[in-house]
């Protein structure tokens, strides 16, 4: 079990952050990371049973009419309530955090310099 | 004694009587004996006359109960026959056989006079006939055929017995062998079972350890979440507080004022609780680090007394300080946390005492060159506690009783926090109490001794802040969060400070016209009227109002920006987000320039960082200085802004707030990740303004500034990429 890599999906239309995070996780080892620019793409692959999904809150910047992270979270939570979803946001609002936690996210991470460390420790706990 | 009596009483002879058969009695005793011998298998075929001859040569011996006939290992020289009575063959206490009248024993002695392997003794009074080996061979000497027969028979019997014994031995050996095998198997099984149990126990232990780790981790995560959440709640709470204060200053009606006061009080109470939760979760999540700086204990105690003086006076309580003069003037430690503990203990003491006194004691227990062991005690004459209450008083969320919460308020976290803080100091907070008499809380900690130099270095900032005490400061800042942070920081650092907050330049001008301020902290970018314009208008006023020192809050400390501020009548600059020291230094520079430490230049360092300066620090750390990665990320950033900038421009032109917010929001984290914090802040401001529907005319200025900065960053990153 311990040797098996954890499968992580990263969903973020911010390509730079997405790439940095996926590089970071793969460098750390123990993770097999797939990245998606929209939630819809992620949902198509959801039957791959990832161990965790790191999901950005805003996903409709580059693809108009793309579902936002909260909707995707709710869909994921409905299909697989046990699937761990970590929400990403650059929004430091308590309300947004609360909303995602209430919708089944296990954690709410603010995108900043500390977020990688935070994600590391969360993934270790899952 | 008559001969006939022997016949009639053939059984009883006196014990140990030994005699030879009387040849005269041959018709009687020897006859009977010969007959008995003849019934025995070894003498079966022996002619009667020989038997009679043998019987005549027998000696009759009598034995009492338990008398030995012969002992083990005695040489066997005779053949015995039980006439009457009984005997047993035994090996020590172990009886091998029982014999009664007619049985013979010792017949093997006729073949071999080696030592006997068993003993024989009488079990009841017994009479034996005994034929000695010599006599026997003497008698049979004349009858070699008879002798041969007997010897043959005895030999066969001997062989049979030996075989039987061997067989028994073999059987016994087999049994033993089997037993050993069984026992071994049993032991093996036991061992295997033990091993299995051991493995199971080990696995269980491992699992328990794993569970424990998992529990610890999830507890830590929970506490971190709690800490984060309390902070998240604190921010809007601060906004509620700040805005309530503002409303209260806007001359509300009397009833409105009552509501506002109620909001203020509730918010403050909530904030106290939040701060406690934040503290305890910080401690429990292991995030609370003690500082080590030089400080004067007297300052701390004075501070505690000053804070509680009013509350004590209100209740007519004496608040006494008992300070040991032997305590070194300067100690090294965390003055803020020590004060928090003492203030909590003394605050509780005042809270729970109705009459009498609260006494704060500090003593030096042991002092050497480097360190001093200190004893602290807070004693009151209050309501006290029962032993049961005393037991739980340090637990989180526990007060001495449920009533306490209702009557005295509080979260019940204070003592738990204090206890854990004292533990961080390496001490142990303890309490003794008597119901109705009062309580005493005490602890010992050891602190290093410092010198004046250290305290000067450490407290220069605090001293500076102290020098600023009692100031009346206006903060003009449109961002709620920044406004609250500024206010909180000032209130924390500067004793007795009065902070008045306004939201824009116009308000700042209005207040400055009507009221006297010692200093104004002015955000440069504000709605309605920006900081530059406001400064110009204030400077145009006559009298002291026009001379008030103004310090700019600037998001970007560039040479150009600083020049613009100072050129328009401002006296200094503080970059946002500011550090405590920067704020204090800037205030000192304009208020008490004579106290300004070495960096006496009143003009703050116009630190205009080149766009690529420092901002790659995180990228370098993250990638381990991997140039390929850095290039990759920078290219992604460039790609993203090249796409984003035209979209922002278009959105601005079309006044499409939603699109503007969207694009700015997406790029914002990239600014952060590349270390452009000021730019991220600006992006946040634009985002907020776009959402809040701030007057659209305010947007272009900020957006254009953002675009300008982004373009500058693009240029510098491109240069970096070309160089590397």
């Amino acid at each position: 079990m311990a040797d098996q890599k954890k499968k992580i999906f990263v969903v973020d239309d911010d390509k730079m952050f997405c790439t940095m995070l996926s590089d970071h996780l793969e460098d750390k080892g123990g993770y097999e990371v797939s990245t998606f620019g929209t939630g819809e793409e992620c949902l198509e692959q959801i039957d791959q049973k990832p161990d965790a999904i790191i999901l950005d809150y805003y996903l409709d910047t580059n693809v108009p009419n793309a579902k936002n992270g909260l909707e995707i979270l709710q869909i994921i939570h409905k299909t697989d309530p046990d699937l761990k979803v970590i929400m990403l946001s650059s929004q430091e609002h308590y309300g947004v955090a609360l909303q995602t936690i209430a919708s089944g996210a296990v954690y709410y991470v603010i995108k900043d310099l500390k977020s990688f460390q935070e994600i590391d420790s969360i993934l270790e706990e899952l | 004694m008559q001969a006939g009596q022997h016949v009639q009483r053939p059984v009883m002879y006196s014990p140990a009587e030994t005699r030879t058969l009387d040849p005269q009695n041959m018709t009687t005793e020897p006859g009977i004996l010969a007959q008995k011998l003849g019934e025995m298998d070894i003498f079966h075929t022996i002619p009667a006359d020989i038997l009679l001859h043998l019987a005549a040569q027998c000696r009759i011996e009598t034995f009492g109960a338990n008398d030995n006939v012969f002992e083990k290992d005695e040489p066997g020289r005779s053949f015995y026959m039980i006439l009457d009575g009984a005997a047993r063959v035994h090996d020590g206490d172990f009886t091998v056989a029982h014999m009664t009248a007619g049985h013979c024993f010792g017949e093997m002695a006729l073949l071999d006079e080696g030592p006997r392997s068993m003993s024989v003794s009488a079990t009841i009074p017994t009479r034996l006939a005994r034929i000695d080996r010599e006599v026997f061979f003497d008698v049979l000497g004349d009858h070699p055929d008879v002798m041969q027969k007997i010897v043959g028979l005895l030999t066969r019997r001997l062989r049979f017995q030996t075989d039987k014994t061997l067989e028994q031995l073999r059987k016994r050996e087999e049994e033993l062998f089997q037993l050993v095998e069984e026992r071994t198997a049993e032991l093996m099984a036991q061992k295997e079972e033990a091993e299995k149990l051991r493995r199971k126990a080990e696995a269980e232990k491992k699992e328990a350890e794993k569970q424990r780790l998992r529990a610890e981790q999830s507890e830590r995560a929970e506490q971190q979440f709690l800490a984060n959440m309390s902070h998240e709640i604190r921010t809007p709470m601060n906004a509620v507080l700040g805005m309530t204060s503002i409303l209260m200053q806007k001359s509300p009606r009397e009833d409105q004022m009552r509501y506002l006061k109620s909001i203020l009080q509730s918010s403050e109470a909530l904030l106290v609780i939040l701060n406690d939760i934040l503290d305890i979760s910080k401690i429990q999540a292991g995030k609370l680090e003690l500082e080590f700086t030089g400080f004067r204990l007297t300052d701390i105690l004075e501070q505690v007394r000053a804070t509680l003086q009013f509350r004590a006076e209100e209740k007519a309580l004496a608040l006494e300080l008992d300070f040991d003069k032997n305590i070194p003037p300067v100690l090294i430690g965390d003055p803020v946390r020590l004060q928090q503990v003492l203030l909590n203990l003394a605050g509780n003491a005042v809270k729970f005492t109705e009459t009498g006194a609260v006494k704060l004691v500090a003593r030096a227990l042991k002092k050497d060159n480097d360190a001093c062991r200190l004893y602290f005690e807070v004693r009151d004459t209050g309501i006290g506690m029962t032993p049961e209450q005393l037991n739980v008083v340090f637990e989180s969320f526990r007060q001495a009783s449920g009533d306490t919460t209702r009557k005295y308020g509080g979260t019940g976290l204070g003592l738990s926090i204090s206890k854990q803080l004292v533990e961080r100091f390496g001490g142990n907070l303890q309490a003794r109490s008597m119901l109705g008499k009062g309580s005493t809380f005490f602890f010992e900690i050891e602190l290093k001794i410092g010198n004046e130099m250290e305290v000067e270095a450490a407290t220069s900032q605090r001293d500076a802040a102290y020098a600023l005490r009692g100031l009346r400061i206006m903060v003009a800042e449109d961002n709620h969060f920044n406004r609250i942070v500024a206010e909180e920081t000032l209130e924390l650092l500067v004793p007795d400070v009065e902070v008045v907050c306004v939201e824009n330049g116009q308000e700042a001008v209005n207040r400055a016209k009507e009221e006297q301020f010692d200093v104004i902290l002015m955000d440069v970018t504000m709605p309605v009227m920006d900081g530059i314009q406001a400064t110009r208008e204030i400077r145009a006023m006559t009298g002291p109002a026009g001379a008030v020192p103004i310090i700019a809050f600037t998001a970007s400390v560039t040479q150009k920006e600083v020049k613009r501020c100072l050129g328009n009548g401002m006296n200094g600059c503080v970059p946002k987000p500011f550090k405590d020291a920067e704020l204090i230094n800037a205030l000192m520079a304009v208020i008490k320039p004579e106290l300004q430490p070495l960096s006496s230049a009143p003009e703050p360092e116009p630190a205009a960082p080149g766009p690529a300066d420092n901002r790659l620090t995180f990228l370098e750390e993250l990638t381990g200085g991997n140039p390929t990665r850095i290039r990759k990320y920078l290219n992604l950033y460039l790609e993203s802004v090249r796409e984003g900038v035209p979209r922002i421009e278009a959105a601005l032109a079309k006044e499409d707030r939603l699109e503007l917010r969207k694009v700015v929001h997406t790029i914002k984290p990239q600014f952060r990740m590349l270390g452009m914090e000021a730019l991220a802040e600006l992006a946040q401001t634009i985002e907020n303004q776009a959402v809040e529907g701030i007057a659209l005319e305010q947007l272009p200025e900020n957006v254009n500034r953002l675009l300008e900065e982004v373009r500058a960053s693009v240029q510098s990153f491109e240069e970096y990429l070309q160089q590397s």
Side-chain angles (χ1 to χ4, degrees), chain A residues 1 13 30-31 34-36 40 44 47 49 51 60 62-63 70 75 80 82 87 95 100 103 115 121 123-124:
Chain A
M1 269 305 271
D13 60 351
Y31 300 113
S34 310
T35 58
F36 304 94
E40 284 84 347
E44 277 170 30
D47 51 1
K49 298 259 169 219
D51 294 287
D60 56 350
N62 299 325
V63 181
L70 192 62
I75 295 171
D80 184 356
D82 293 330
M87 282 312 277
T100 59
S103 299
S115 46
S121 61
L123 287 180
E124 273 162 33

Side-chain angles (χ1 to χ4, degrees), chain A residues 12-17 19-24 27 56-58 60-65 89-95 97-98 101 106-108 110-116 118 121 124-126, chain B residues 214 217-218 220-222 224-225 228-229 232-233 236 481 618-619 622-623 629 632-634 636-637 639-640 643 647 659 661-663 665-675 677 684 687-688:
Chain A
D12 192 348
D13 60 351
D14 173 354
K15 239 192 224 168
M16 188 184 93
F17 189 89
T19 312
M20 284 169 96
L21 178 58
S22 111
D23 283 348
H24 169 74
D27 286 352
D56 190 40
Y57 188 82
Y58 285 106
D60 56 350
T61 313
N62 299 325
V63 181
N65 303 325
S89 178
S90 48
Q91 206 72 12
E92 295 176 46
H93 287 319
Y94 172 62
L98 197 64
I101 298 289
V106 291
Y107 232 101
Y108 182 83
I110 306 280
K111 280 189 195 172
D112 62 14
L113 301 180
K114 287 173 293 180
S115 46
F116 287 0
E118 212 173 327
S121 61
E124 273 162 33
E125 279 156 24
L126 290 183
Chain B
R214 205 175 300 146
Q217 266 173 356
S218 88
R220 244 199 329 267
E222 199 176 298
Q224 257 172 31
F225 183 75
N228 290 345
M229 273 303 141
E232 298 281 350
I233 301 166
F481 184 68
F618 177 72
L619 266 188
L622 182 82
T623 59
R629 284 282 173 82
K632 177 167 143 193
Y633 299 151
L634 286 182
L636 282 167
Y637 168 74
E639 193 182 303
S640 144
E643 195 183 311
R647 279 177 72 181
E659 167 75 357
R661 186 194 60 73
K662 242 189 220 177
V663 182
H665 180 89
T666 312
I667 308 179
K668 185 178 68 184
Q670 302 184 359
F671 297 151
R672 276 202 203 124
M673 300 310 283
L674 296 177
E677 202 44 60
Q684 182 68 55
E687 225 184 291
N688 290 347

